[in-house]
Amino acid sequence: GAPQLLRSIANDGHIPFLRVFGTKSRDDEPRRAVLLTTALSALACLAGNLDYITPIITMFFLAMYGAINMACFLSGILKSPGFRPTWRYFHWSTALVGFSICFIFMFVISVLYGCVAIILVSAIY
């Protein structure tokens, strides 16, 4: 789920202020990441009307999946030696189509939130 993903991102070390969420407990549970995702979820619920928050969350999911597809596309087209996809039907063109669909849907849903999400993702990257 989200806490494990946050722990993995924190352990990569690419975003320095997230390193504190990369630690795990003795039973291999990312407790700090669970606490952060619980707090963020609670804040979202306290907003009252979830219709205000849904487009923002959708944009970041689409941005995440789009970035994954773009990384697979670039790794496939550049024939990166470390990239060995296990899906037997993988082709770089499917990753490009996946990225394109995510990018298009971001702007179909909301041009404003799509632009904000792309700016924030670019700033983090």
Side-chain angles (χ1 to χ4, degrees), residues 13-114:
H14 296 298
I15 305 173
F17 64 87
L18 289 181
R19 285 188 186 144
V20 69
F21 299 107
T23 60
K24 58 184 177 183
S25 63
R26 286 175 287 174
D27 56 351
D28 200 37
E29 289 296 321
R31 297 199 192 281
R32 291 180 183 170
V34 168
L35 289 173
L36 178 67
T37 54
T38 302
L40 290 174
S41 300
L43 285 173
C45 290
L46 289 174
N49 190 353
L50 293 180
D51 291 335
Y52 298 130
I53 299 167
T54 306
I56 299 168
I57 294 170
T58 303
M59 290 304 141
F60 286 109
F61 273 108
L62 286 172
M64 178 185 69
Y65 289 122
I68 291 169
N69 278 305
M70 179 54 82
C72 290
F73 164 71
L74 291 173
S75 296
I77 196 93
L78 297 174
K79 302 203 185 307
S80 176
F83 180 67
R84 296 181 186 98
T86 56
W87 187 45
R88 67 191 306 197
Y89 301 111
F90 174 80
H91 191 263
W92 61 264
S93 62
T94 58
L96 181 61
V97 168
F99 167 75
S100 301
I101 289 172
C102 288
F103 191 76
I104 289 168
F105 278 148
M106 285 176 72
F107 290 100
V108 168
I109 293 170
S110 172
V111 175
L112 175 66
Y113 289 138

